[in-house]
């Protein structure tokens, strides 16, 4: 069985998204062209919101991507990586983002 090795990359995070409690975008930054158009991005955001807003877990596999997320009151924070990305690394990015914003908006 031949395994293909991936080229090393600094692009661990494919996207960072913050949605409100209706699933509407407050902030989104995509770091690659997985979803090149705004229409595709909005559809993806609605899809992840619909799959995650009622669950208590913190990790989801969706459309071949690893999604880690956290909710706080009426905001949903998402960090997206590839399907073979380390979930702990993505969770560390998410926690850093969440803690930084919490500290700034105290």
């Amino acid at each position: 069985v031949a395994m293909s090795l991936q080229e090393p990359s600094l692009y661990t995070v494919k996207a960072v998204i913050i949605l409100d409690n209706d699933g509407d975008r407050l902030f989104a930054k995509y770091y690659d062209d997985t979803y090149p158009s705004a229409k595709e991005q909005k559809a993806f955001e609605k899809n992840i919101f619909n799959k995650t807003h009622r669950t208590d877990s913190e990790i989801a596999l969706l459309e071949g991507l690893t999604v880690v997320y956290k909710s706080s009151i009426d905001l949903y924070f998402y960090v997206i990586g590839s399907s073979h990305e380390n979930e702990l690394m993505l969770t560390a990015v998410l926690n850093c983002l969440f803690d930084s914003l919490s500290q700034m908006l105290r």
Side-chain angles (χ1 to χ4, degrees):
V1 176
M3 289 183 76
S4 63
L5 294 176
Q6 237 188 342
E7 283 293 315
S9 172
L10 293 176
Y11 295 105
T12 299
V13 175
K14 289 185 170 285
V16 173
I17 302 167
I18 302 174
L19 303 176
D20 66 10
N21 60 349
D22 295 322
D24 295 323
R25 178 193 288 188
L26 297 176
F27 173 82
K29 176 67 178 168
Y30 289 81
Y31 296 100
D32 68 0
D33 59 351
T34 303
Y35 299 98
S37 72
K39 184 178 180 181
E40 290 172 312
Q41 291 174 2
K42 295 271 188 182
F44 174 69
E45 292 162 16
K46 280 290 184 193
N47 191 12
I48 63 170
F49 180 78
N50 290 334
K51 301 271 190 216
T52 60
H53 79 282
R54 291 191 190 133
T55 63
D56 289 333
S57 62
E58 298 175 348
I59 300 173
L61 295 173
L62 186 64
E63 297 183 19
L65 299 170
T66 302
V67 179
V68 294
Y69 57 96
K70 180 183 279 201
S71 65
S72 174
I73 305 170
D74 60 349
L75 295 178
Y76 293 84
F77 298 83
Y78 298 91
V79 173
I80 291 97
S82 66
S83 62
H84 53 272
E85 196 55 65
N86 185 333
E87 293 89 357
L88 294 175
M89 186 65 87
L90 295 174
T91 302
V93 173
L94 176 63
N95 289 333
C96 182
L97 170 70
F98 185 83
D99 294 343
S100 298
L101 288 174
S102 297
Q103 198 69 2
M104 287 177 12
L105 300 174
R106 227 180 240 200

